[in-house]
Amino acid sequence: MTRALITGITGQDGLYLAELLLKKGYEVHGLIRGQNNPRRELVEKLVPEVHLHNGDLTDLSSLMRALRESDPQEVYNLGAVSFVAFSWENAFVTSDVTALGVLNILEAVRLHAGDDPGSIRFYQASSSEMFGKVHEVPQKESTLLWPRSPYGVSKVYGHYMTINYRESYGMHASSGILFNHESPRRGEEFVTRKVSKAVAAIKLGRQKEIVMGNLDARRDWGFAGDYVEAMWRMLQQDQADDYVISTGETHSIEELLDVAFTHVGIDDWRPYVRQDPRFMRPAEVDLLIGDSTKAREVLDWKPTVAFPDLVKMMVDSDLAALQSGW
């Protein structure tokens, strides 16, 4: 039985990945931060078979202990301070976890592997936010990285450190440069979930408006359940490498609002949406749209959930949750 350790298992990606690996017959271990982590109960409810270990990406000794206890053949580093807006207000914390945390887990894996550094396959969750001020449209693996937020800068550090450990020590270390991926499990601070939950509440008469930032921002949005499949496929390759994972389509916030409101029978969303400068980014990224040709050809991967279906899935989930009192 293959054993895998997932950092960031409390997030949407960690939960979907744990479910995927369990279906494939893995023994799954998860690193969870904080003795009283409020999301621990959710993990135990959704994936009770997962073995949880207390640990922190900023604490090398806790990572070594988790690796010793789980002894995995695969490690998926999904842990990060992942909300971009938060990173401007808390640049140090973001850098400590999202950048230096990658160095800590890479070093822990290298030390645990001992004389055979390639024996543990490692996945690093890189991000399309690394492209930032884009120098090429669409973006692919070779596109110049020009991050526009402390989060993006931190992800660039982790990305290059993963490459460095692969080239310096012969580790089987791959990075997935994932474009925006959403689901009903997305945190409510992210714009897609903010919209889906607010639209559901407006439909039910429990909310009057949504306060938004830049409605012209465009993103390449896919379904998180599809994207964790790509993560797993990367670690099944004979050679480690880096892959862009995306849909190849771009949609604006206005399109997101169109689909969400129309789905609940509201044709004109403008009376329900108010813009506020507080929700504008200090430095907005340019047109993010990924070219996942390499992943399609090498990994035989492609997205299965279209943008409108993803938005409707999220709205339906929030409607059901609100109606049931969740």
Side-chain angles (χ1 to χ4, degrees), residues 116-285:
D116 188 5
S119 62
I120 302 175
R121 299 192 172 193
F122 179 86
Y123 171 82
Q124 166 59 18
S126 291
S127 168
S128 61
E129 288 287 332
M130 301 189 308
F131 295 120
K133 189 176 178 64
V134 300
H135 284 242
E136 183 179 26
V137 179
Q139 294 87 51
K140 53 182 181 287
E141 291 80 8
S142 59
T143 300
L144 177 68
L145 305 181
W146 195 296
R148 299 265 281 172
S149 68
Y151 170 77
V153 172
S154 298
K155 280 294 185 181
V156 170
Y157 177 92
H159 180 72
Y160 279 127
M161 192 58 72
T162 300
I163 293 173
N164 184 259
Y165 267 66
R166 180 170 72 220
E167 295 178 348
S168 299
Y169 301 113
M171 288 177 62
H172 192 293
S174 296
S175 286
I177 307 173
L178 272 56
F179 280 65
N180 294 66
H181 47 290
E182 318 298 319
S183 76
R185 294 174 178 170
R186 192 55 140 157
E188 294 176 18
E189 68 273 23
F190 292 89
V191 67
T192 47
R193 184 72 195 291
K194 177 180 178 178
V195 167
S196 69
K197 186 172 183 180
V199 168
I202 289 170
K203 173 64 176 177
L204 297 175
R206 303 183 189 182
Q207 188 170 326
K208 293 182 178 180
E209 66 175 7
I210 318 175
V211 183
M212 303 288 292
N214 180 12
L215 302 184
D216 297 321
R218 303 184 68 88
R219 294 291 185 272
D220 183 330
W221 277 302
F223 173 51
D226 286 339
Y227 285 37
V228 298
E229 172 76 24
M231 299 176 189
W232 176 77
R233 293 190 182 205
M234 288 179 211
L235 297 201
Q236 310 318 304
Q237 304 305 306
D238 291 335
Q239 299 296 323
D241 209 341
D242 307 318
Y243 298 88
V244 163
I245 304 300
S246 66
T247 68
E249 299 178 1
T250 182
H251 301 275
S252 68
I253 303 294
E254 287 197 351
E255 290 177 74
L256 170 65
L257 291 166
D258 281 337
V259 175
F261 274 100
T262 300
H263 185 55
V264 297
I266 300 174
D267 295 329
D268 182 9
W269 50 261
R270 296 189 184 277
Y272 302 96
V273 176
R274 176 169 59 89
Q275 287 184 276
D276 189 322
R278 291 179 303 155
F279 292 96
M280 302 289 187
R281 290 185 177 187
E284 183 61 82
V285 301

Side-chain angles (χ1 to χ4, degrees), residues 46-64:
L46 293 177
V47 282
E49 306 94 329
V50 171
H51 306 272
L52 295 177
H53 305 265
N54 292 321
D56 193 314
L57 286 172
T58 65
D59 178 10
L60 181 62
S61 64
S62 72
L63 300 178
M64 292 295 298

